[in-house]
């Protein structure tokens, strides 16, 4: 680490685009962002303290202060990751309390934040496309809930909590107004947006459920629980005097009360992007702040409206308009007040209203002064001084005065006093690129876009006196002696003299733009660097380069020279700091992943400072080290453009593209020769023109004469007023003397009345005291009697509880005896069948255990009822005791004046309280006895629980058998055959059914034969149809042949008739006949046609024979498969018969088990019916002993019940059979008989 230290001293600038950029820490201190810091600024004492941002922070996005003013949340981008840092403002210096930077959800940045009313929770909103609203318990870094607020990439401008409810949340943005409630770990919507969506820019909570909301079209809405209650539109109108007045059109009414609350700022860039397509003439409500009387809202460019509630009406109306004042130093004063107000904030006492604007300005107004001057128009004042609103491009300081000169792209030049505040500023028509301050502090040279100006610094103005046609001058610098100054024009350096104001030299040699120039200590040389990678050292005497160092791969940003003029330091785009001497690079010190943009060295040569592209300042000690031996300071939110050191090396000055100017106090911890002592103090002379002095002298003379005239007039007015006042005083004195006489008489009358009232009051007081003493004695007697009665009742209850305890113990003993007897009987009953029926015994024991649990539960309930009754009685009497105590206390309060007289009564009350304590102790003892009895009950419960286990096992077995029984009953097909057998035993018409079944079978056989015949006939029909088709085709062919032959015969006849004409010529006749033969006689064709017909008939016969053979084989296969299915069917029937037998056996076992379970239930029911009296106990005991055989179900009744169930089942199955017989195609298999289930008598015998 370096021993060179830089401490931030003062910040001149504001970052207006940070959300919620003004916060009140207390009545005098505000917090606002400047550069990469948050500044705590005391409005009265003008001091500043700094809250630094996170290391390697790239951008500050939002601020939020907790309602208790203890914590400040800052949203930043740190190394391309979003981070939320929470500072504890109460500690000095402010320390980081929590850092939220590990997120389990996608997030690019947090655009707005808000603390809950109790400051325990933090609400954060992420940017699109995620647009997540996150509800934090920030102390534990825990996410309580998260919800996506928007799915259409719309911007959210503000989030907030209800002022008194941690669970109520509001979110506003482009096209959204949402109310959410945190419940059960989630954020749920509580309102439904109605009507056309608006671009909601700002909102503020009016009360717990009322919110005022502003839009980009100048509309104000008041919502109550999500429903619209009031609406107003802000209209802009031009007046005759070219000032715009704002009218508020009331559209609906509501009763509103506005608590004080500050309004966060939406992102100005986001809003302007959103509103670029809309009407820009409409006033946009960027900020709303509420206070006790109403609320304030921004209403377009440079205006704030105050709304207050009318007392007798439930409406709100505009009461005041506050404007940003016109800046007379601006180049266009009519447009200087056209600024969007982005944030409004009231002080905790509502004494001051502060506003921040889009031009990085801070304005304030005192509310009390504004109320005094209600008839006059209200205007804001600068909170500190006018600040730069754009990137600062030039910076310089002087020797003779503590002045700093800056210029900016906002077309202004400002002169600051780093020991106090802003001295001068002026705006111009063109942008200012470079500035240099003369060492004397009386002149500056400024490079504009189209010219270079040399100006005088007057007492109240910056006035040019020489202009040069140097266009686009990006760099200029006065020499250390002040007699020369250099100005850069592209790649040429022009050198001018300040005495004759002439151009004495033009230095040419750079091939690229020159970025920096610096003079050596004796002004004999000039060093320059540029984008062409060249560093040149120029000689002013010859106008030529003395040394040069060219590195084409580097574009230099800044250059400086050591005080001894031996070493040149240059920084550029290659991430290094270069030491150059004698036209060669001595060393390259790495910048460690940043680009150096500015460099400056102290006049002592021991300290070196560099500015980076990320806005940080690095302090190094010379000679430089190749390691990371430097101190890195977070400073600006943009690249550092210029740096400078004061002549005494006490202050470092830095400016940046973020529009902020920082002053740093620097020193070396070693302290060797760092501080340079000033021989003379700072000069206090200022420049004033002669015309200004003459004008001021003339004004002073006019003012003096005016003062004399006013004195004369005031003296005359005072004499007139003295005469009037003396007359009024006489009148008032006479009036007061008369009133005093009347008051004296009235006072005497009142004294006499008072004496009479005192006498009557004393008599009344004596009567009341006597009455009180009598009543007190009566109450004492009554209370004593009540206490005696209560004590007797307590004794009776105590005896009663003892009797009840003895009865419970006796019941427990009797229950133990009955349980032991029942257990012995049960063990004797089950020992015989223990080996065979182990599982059944377990089930029965399980049932018994269940019943014992029920018994224990009832017993427990009885005991609890008794305990509850005892407790109720106890609470009843305790309540009575409390009431008595309260009555005694009330009496003590009424007789507080007479405490000494009734001390004996207090002693008796204390004795009674002691008696009550004694009774309470006895009651505690009784509770101990009850606890010991409860332990005995628990031991008995354990025994009962052990017995319950066997019953539970038996119940499980019963449940398994029931389940198995249900599965077996599902075999409907098996039961069908069982029903057929039962039908033969029960119904007399079985034979008729059998005969009908045989007939049905015969009919089915006959039907099968008919089916076969039909199939055969169908085959025959198909064959005949095929034959018919073949004969038809043959007949058609024959007919065709016949037609062909007839045609042939006709042709032959014609040809033959033609031959007859040659009958007389034999030779020609022979030729014609031969031709006829050759033409009509074709023997080969005839033979071929006949052969083709025979082949077709043979092929048809072969195909038919093949199909008949396939049909026969298929019929054989069908017969074989039916036989196989029949055998499988018989096998399945046999298996089902065996299953039915097993079911019968299981049923018998089940009936036996049920009877045993019934016996156990009966025994347990008898146990429950025990009575507290001895006679009833003996009777119940004999009943329990004798009920074992009698309470068991009669076997005949059980058998009859089972038979009735079987009959119902048989009837149901019979109905199913009838339904199946009615279905066509159902062919029951006959010849297979299932074994009989046995008759009813056999079944009864089996059960017995």
């Amino acid at each position: 680490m370096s021993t060179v230290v830089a401490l931030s001293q003062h910040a001149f600038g504001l970052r207006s685009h940070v959300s919620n950029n003004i916060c009140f820490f207390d009545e005098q201190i505000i917090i606002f962002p400047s550069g990469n810091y948050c500044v705590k600024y005391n409005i009265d004492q003008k001091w500043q303290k700094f809250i630094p941002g996170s290391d390697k922070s790239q951008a500050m996005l939002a601020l939020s202060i907790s309602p208790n003013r203890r914590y400040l949340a800052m949203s930043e981008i740190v190394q391309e990751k979003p981070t939320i840092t929470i500072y504890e403002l109460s500690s000095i210096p402010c320390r980081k309390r929590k850092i939220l930077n590990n997120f389990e959800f996608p997030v690019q940045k947090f655009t707005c934040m808000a603390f809950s009313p109790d400051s325990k929770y933090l609400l954060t909103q992420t940017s699109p496309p995620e647009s997540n609203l996150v509800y934090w318990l920030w102390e534990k870094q825990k996410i309580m809930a998260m919800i996506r607020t928007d799915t259409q990439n719309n911007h959210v401008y503000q989030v907030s909590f209800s002022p008194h409810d941690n669970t109520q949340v509001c979110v506003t943005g482009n096209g959204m107004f949402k109310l959410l409630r945190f419940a059960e770990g989630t954020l749920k919507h509580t309102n439904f947006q109605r009507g056309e969506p608006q671009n909601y820019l700002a909102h503020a909570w009016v009360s717990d459920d009322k919110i005022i909301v502003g839009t980009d079209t100048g509309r104000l809405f008041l919502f109550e629980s999500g429903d619209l209650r009031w609406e107003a539109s802000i209209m802009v109108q031009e007046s005759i005097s070219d000032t715009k007045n704002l009218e508020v059109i009331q559209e609906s009414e509501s009763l509103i009360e506005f608590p004080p609350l500050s309004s966060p700022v939406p992102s100005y860039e986001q809003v302007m992007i959103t509103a670029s397509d809309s009407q820009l003439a409409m006033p946009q409500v960027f900020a709303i702040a509420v206070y006790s009387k109403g609320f304030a809202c921004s209403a377009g460019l440079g205006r704030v409206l105050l709304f207050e509630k009318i007392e007798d009406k439930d409406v709100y109306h505009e009461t005041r308009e506050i404007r940003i004042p016109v800046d007379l130093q601006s180049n266009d004063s009519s447009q200087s007040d056209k600024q969007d107000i982005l944030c409004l904030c009231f002080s905790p006492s509502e004494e001051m209203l502060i506003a921040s604007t889009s031009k990085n300005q801070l304005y304030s107004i005192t509310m009390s002064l504004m109320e005094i001057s209600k008839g006059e128009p209200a205007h804001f004042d600068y909170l500190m001084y006018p600040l730069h609103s754009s990137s600062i491009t030039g910076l310089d300081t002087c020797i003779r005065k503590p002045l700093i000169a800056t210029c900016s792209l906002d077309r202004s030049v400002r002169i600051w006093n780093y020991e106090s505040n802003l001295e001068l500023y002026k705006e111009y028509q063109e942008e200012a690129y470079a500035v240099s301050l003369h060492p004397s502090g009386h002149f500056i040279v400024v490079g504009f876009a189209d010219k270079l100006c040399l100006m005088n610094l007057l007492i109240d103005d910056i006035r040019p006196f020489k202009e040069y046609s140097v266009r686009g001058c990006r760099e200029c610098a006065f020499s250390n002696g002040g007699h020369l100054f250099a100005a850069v024009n592209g790649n040429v350096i022009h050198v001018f003299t300040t005495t004759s104001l002439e151009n004495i030299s033009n230095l040419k040699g750079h091939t690229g733009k020159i970025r920096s120039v610096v003079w050596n200590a004796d002004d004999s040389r000039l060093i320059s660097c540029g984008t062409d990678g060249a560093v040149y050292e120029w000689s002013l005497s010859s106008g030529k380069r003395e040394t040069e160092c060219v590195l084409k791969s580097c574009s230099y940003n800044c250059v400086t020279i050591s005080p001894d003029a031996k070493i040149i330091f240059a920084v550029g785009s290659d991430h290094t700091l270069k030491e150059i001497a004698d036209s060669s690079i001595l060393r390259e010190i790495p910048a460690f992943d940043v680009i150096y943009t500015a460099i400056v060295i102290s006049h002592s040569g021991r300290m070196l400072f560099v500015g980076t592209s990320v806005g940080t300042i690095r302090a190094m000690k010379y000679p430089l080290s190749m390691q990371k031996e430097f101190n890195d300071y977070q400073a600006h939110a943009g690249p550092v453009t210029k740096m400078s050191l004061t002549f005494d090396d006490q202050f470092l000055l830095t400016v940046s593209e973020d529009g902020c100017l920082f002053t740093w106090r620097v020193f070396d911890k070693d302290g060797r020769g760092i501080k340079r002592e000033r021989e003379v103090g700072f000069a206090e002379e200022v420049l004033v023109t002669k015309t200004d002095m003459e004008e001021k002298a003339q004004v002073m003379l006019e003012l003096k004469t005016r003062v004399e005239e006013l004195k004369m007039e005031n003296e005359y007015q005072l004499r007139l007023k003295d005469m009037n006042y003396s007359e009024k005083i006489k009148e008032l004195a006479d009036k007061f003397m008369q009133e005093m006489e009347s008051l004296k008489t009235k006072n005497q009358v009142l004294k006499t009345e008072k004496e009479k009232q005192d006498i009557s009051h004393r008599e009344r007081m004596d009567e009341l005291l006597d009455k009180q003493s009598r009543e007190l004695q009566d109450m004492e007697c009554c209370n004593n009697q009540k206490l005696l009665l209560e004590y007797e009742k307590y004794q009776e209850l105590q005896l009663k509880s003892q009797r009840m305890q003895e009865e419970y113990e006796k019941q427990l003993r009797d229950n133990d005896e009955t349980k032991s007897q029942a257990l012995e009987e049960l063990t004797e009953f089950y020992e015989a069948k223990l080996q065979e029926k182990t599982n059944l015994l377990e089930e029965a024991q399980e049932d018994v255990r269940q019943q014992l649990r029920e018994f224990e539960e009832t017993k427990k309930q009885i005991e609890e009822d008794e305990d509850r009754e005892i407790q109720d009685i106890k609470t009843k009497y305790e309540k009575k005791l409390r009431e008595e105590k309260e009555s005694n206390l009330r009496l003590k309060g009424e007789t507080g004046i007479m405490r000494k007289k009734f001390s004996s009564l207090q002693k008796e009350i204390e004795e009674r309280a002691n008696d009550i304590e004694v009774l309470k102790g006895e009651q505690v003892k009784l509770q101990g006895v009850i606890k010991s009895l409860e332990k005995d009950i628990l031991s008995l419960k354990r025994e009962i629980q052990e017995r319950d286990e066997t019953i539970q096992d038996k119940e499980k077995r019963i449940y398994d058998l029931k389940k198995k029984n249900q599965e077996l009953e599902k075999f409907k097909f098996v039961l069908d055959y069982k029903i057929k057998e039962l039908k033969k035993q029960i119904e007399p018409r079985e034979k008729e059914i059998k005969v009908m079944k045989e007939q049905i079978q015969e009919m089915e056989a006959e039907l099968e034969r008919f089916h076969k015949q039909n199939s055969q006939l169908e085959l025959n029909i198909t064959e005949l149809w095929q034959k018919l088709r073949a004969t038809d085709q043959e007949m058609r062919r024959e007919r065709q042949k016949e037609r062909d032959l007839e045609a042939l015969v006709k042709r032959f006849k014609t040809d033959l008739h033609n031959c007859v004409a040659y009958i007389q010529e034999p030779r020609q006749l022979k030729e014609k006949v031969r031709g006829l033969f050759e033409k009509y006689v074709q023997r080969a064709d005839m033979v071929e046609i006949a052969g083709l017909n025979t082949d077709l008939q043979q092929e048809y016969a072969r195909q038919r024979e093949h199909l008949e053979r396939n049909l026969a084989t298929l019929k054989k296969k069908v017969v074989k498969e039916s036989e196989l299915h029949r055998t499988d069917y018989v096998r399945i029937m046999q298996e089902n018969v065996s299953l039915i037998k097993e079911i019968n056996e299981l049923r018998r076992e089940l009936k036996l088990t049920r009877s045993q379970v019934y016996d156990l239930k009966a025994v347990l029911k008898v146990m429950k019916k025990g009575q507290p009296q001895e006679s009833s106990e003996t009777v119940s005991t004999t009943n329990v002993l004798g009920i074992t055989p009698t309470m068991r179900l009669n076997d005949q009744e059980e058998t009859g019940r089972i038979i009735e169930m079987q009959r119902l089942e048989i009837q149901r199955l019979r109905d199913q059979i009838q339904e199946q017989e009615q279905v066509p195609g159902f062919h029951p298999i006959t010849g297979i008989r299932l074994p009989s289930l046995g008759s009813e008598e056999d079944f009864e015998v089996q059960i017995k």
Side-chain angles (χ1 to χ4, degrees), residues 1073-1170:
V1073 170
R1074 186 177 293 168
L1076 286 174
F1077 179 78
E1078 290 174 359
K1079 184 177 180 180
Y1080 292 105
V1081 179
Q1082 298 177 358
R1083 295 184 181 276
D1085 293 339
M1086 298 298 289
V1087 172
E1088 188 176 353
I1089 290 166
L1092 183 61
N1093 291 332
T1094 56
D1095 290 339
L1096 285 171
Q1097 290 176 0
Q1098 288 176 2
E1099 180 65 24
Y1100 172 76
R1102 189 176 63 78
Q1103 289 290 340
R1104 180 177 177 182
E1105 185 179 358
H1106 174 67
L1107 291 171
E1108 287 175 352
R1109 282 200 302 272
N1110 286 341
L1111 183 61
T1113 54
L1114 288 172
K1115 285 180 179 178
K1116 289 178 182 178
K1117 283 182 180 179
V1118 168
V1119 171
K1120 286 181 181 179
E1121 287 177 358
S1122 63
E1123 290 295 331
L1124 289 171
H1125 284 302
R1126 195 176 189 82
T1127 54
D1128 291 340
Y1129 201 79
V1130 171
R1131 181 176 54 77
I1132 290 168
M1133 288 298 104
Q1134 290 174 356
E1135 290 176 357
N1136 289 337
V1137 168
S1138 62
L1139 287 171
I1140 288 169
K1141 289 179 180 178
E1142 189 175 352
I1143 287 168
N1144 290 331
E1145 292 176 359
L1146 290 171
R1147 279 184 174 173
R1148 286 194 292 273
E1149 293 177 0
L1150 182 61
K1151 297 306 171 187
L1152 289 172
T1153 307
R1154 282 179 177 170
S1155 63
Q1156 293 167 4
V1157 170
Y1158 228 96
D1159 295 340
L1160 291 171
K1161 286 181 179 179
V1163 171
L1164 290 172
K1165 286 179 182 177
V1166 172
M1167 287 178 182
K1168 289 179 183 178
K1169 292 181 181 179

Side-chain angles (χ1 to χ4, degrees), residues 798-981:
Q798 189 174 6
L799 293 172
K800 188 176 180 181
S801 64
Q802 288 177 358
R803 285 198 300 273
M804 289 174 70
Q805 184 177 352
E806 291 173 357
E807 289 173 359
Y808 287 143
E809 288 177 355
K810 193 171 184 181
Q811 287 179 11
L812 286 171
R813 285 195 298 273
D814 295 337
N815 286 334
D816 290 337
E817 292 175 0
T818 54
K819 286 175 188 174
S820 60
Q821 290 175 4
L823 187 61
E824 287 175 2
E825 291 176 2
L826 288 170
T827 49
E828 289 175 0
F829 182 75
Y830 287 112
E831 275 177 0
K833 298 180 180 180
L834 186 59
Q835 294 178 356
E836 298 176 0
K837 307 289 184 179
T838 306
N839 294 330
L840 296 175
L841 180 61
E842 290 175 356
E843 293 173 2
Q845 287 174 351
E846 187 175 343
D847 193 6
V848 171
R849 204 175 299 116
Q850 181 66 27
Q851 296 298 327
L852 287 173
R853 275 202 301 273
E854 293 176 0
F855 167 71
E856 182 185 347
E857 188 65 28
T858 55
K859 180 181 171 184
K860 184 178 180 182
Q861 289 176 359
I862 292 167
E863 290 174 355
E864 288 177 354
D865 292 339
E866 293 298 328
D867 292 338
R868 200 178 296 112
E869 288 179 4
I870 293 168
Q871 190 68 25
D872 292 340
I873 293 166
K874 178 184 171 183
T875 54
K876 179 181 175 182
Y877 288 111
E878 284 180 351
K879 187 177 180 182
K880 288 183 178 179
L881 285 171
R882 283 197 298 273
E883 289 174 355
E884 293 297 330
K885 283 183 179 179
E886 289 174 0
S887 63
N888 289 330
L889 289 170
R890 191 165 55 252
L891 289 170
K892 280 195 278 185
E894 291 173 355
T895 58
I897 301 169
M898 310 296 293
R899 282 180 184 172
K900 293 180 181 180
K901 295 180 181 180
F902 301 109
S903 59
S904 60
L905 179 63
Q906 285 181 347
K907 290 179 182 178
E908 290 178 3
I909 290 169
E910 289 175 359
E911 289 175 0
R912 288 169 190 166
N914 292 329
D915 294 338
I916 291 165
E917 292 295 330
V918 171
L919 293 174
K920 284 183 179 178
E922 292 177 356
Q923 190 174 2
V924 169
K925 290 179 182 178
L926 291 172
Q927 286 178 353
V929 174
I930 291 168
K931 287 180 180 178
S932 63
L933 294 173
E934 285 177 351
K935 288 180 182 178
D936 297 336
I937 292 166
L938 286 172
S939 62
L940 294 171
K941 284 180 181 178
R942 287 194 204 97
E943 291 179 6
I944 293 167
Q945 193 171 4
E946 290 173 358
R947 294 173 185 174
D948 286 343
E949 291 176 358
T950 55
I951 297 169
Q952 286 177 0
D953 295 335
K954 285 198 171 186
E955 283 183 350
K956 286 180 183 176
R957 178 60 180 164
I958 290 168
Y959 177 76
D960 293 334
L961 288 171
K962 284 180 180 178
K963 200 170 181 181
K964 194 171 181 182
N965 193 12
Q966 288 175 359
E967 291 174 357
L968 292 170
E969 286 177 356
K970 291 178 182 178
F971 299 134
K972 291 181 181 180
F973 193 78
V974 177
L975 292 174
D976 287 339
Y977 288 97
K978 177 180 173 185
I979 289 163
K980 287 177 185 178
E981 296 297 326

Side-chain angles (χ1 to χ4, degrees), residues 77 105 588 782 857 884 931:
I77 301 294
F105 52 91
E588 292 188 5
C782 294
E857 188 65 28
E884 293 297 330
K931 287 180 180 178

Side-chain angles (χ1 to χ4, degrees), residues 546-715:
E546 287 197 355
T547 62
E548 61 181 43
C549 179
V550 180
L551 185 65
K552 295 290 185 182
S553 60
C554 177
S555 174
Y556 286 106
N557 295 321
C558 189
V559 68
T560 190
I561 189 168
S562 62
D564 57 4
K566 292 181 179 179
I567 299 175
I568 299 170
F569 300 94
V571 293
S573 60
D574 60 350
H575 303 275
T576 58
L577 167 66
K578 296 179 178 61
E579 292 185 29
I580 302 171
D582 298 329
S583 302
S584 62
I585 299 173
L586 297 181
R587 287 197 302 170
E588 292 188 5
I589 291 86
F592 301 101
D593 298 330
V594 295
I595 296 174
Y596 290 148
T597 57
I599 185 169
V600 65
I601 191 168
S602 65
H603 296 87
S604 65
R606 293 182 178 274
M607 295 184 293
L608 191 70
F609 300 93
V610 291
T612 67
S613 59
V614 295
T616 57
I617 305 297
R618 286 186 177 175
M620 306 177 184
K621 186 176 180 180
Y622 190 78
L624 301 174
S625 172
M626 299 297 291
Q627 305 299 323
K628 285 188 176 181
E629 293 186 3
F630 53 79
N631 292 327
D632 225 339
Y633 298 98
Q634 293 292 325
H636 295 279
V640 177
T641 55
K642 296 290 178 182
M643 299 176 68
S644 181
L645 274 166
T646 57
F647 185 71
D648 56 1
D649 288 344
Q650 296 300 303
F651 295 100
L652 171 69
L653 315 171
T654 61
V655 294
S656 170
E657 291 181 4
D658 61 1
C660 297
L661 164 65
F662 275 83
T663 62
W664 307 75
R665 184 175 291 278
V666 296
F667 59 90
D668 189 345
K669 289 182 179 178
D670 295 341
R672 295 192 301 273
I674 299 301
K675 186 173 181 180
R676 303 177 65 187
E677 298 293 338
R678 299 187 63 88
E679 295 178 359
V680 293
F682 287 124
E684 295 181 357
E685 298 86 0
V686 292
L687 294 179
V688 181
T689 61
K690 186 177 180 180
T691 56
D692 290 343
M693 290 294 294
E694 290 174 352
E695 287 176 0
K696 287 184 179 179
Q698 186 67 30
V699 169
M700 286 175 68
L701 288 172
E702 291 176 357
L703 290 173
K704 282 181 180 179
T705 56
R706 179 65 179 159
V707 166
E708 293 295 329
E709 291 174 358
L710 289 171
K711 279 183 180 179
M712 297 287 290
E713 188 176 353
N714 286 334
E715 287 175 358

Side-chain angles (χ1 to χ4, degrees), residues 453-501:
C453 285
L454 191 61
M455 306 182 185
N456 285 324
L457 295 182
L458 304 180
I459 189 171
D460 56 357
D461 193 11
I462 303 173
R463 199 168 293 174
F465 65 91
K466 179 65 175 176
E467 292 184 358
Y468 300 96
S469 59
V470 179
R471 295 180 178 275
C473 178
R474 299 279 178 173
E475 285 292 327
C476 60
F478 273 103
S479 63
N480 294 316
H483 61 291
L484 300 173
F485 68 90
V488 173
N489 181 11
N491 57 0
V492 179
I493 303 173
H494 303 281
V495 181
F496 300 89
T497 177
T498 57
T499 53
S500 63
L501 306 179

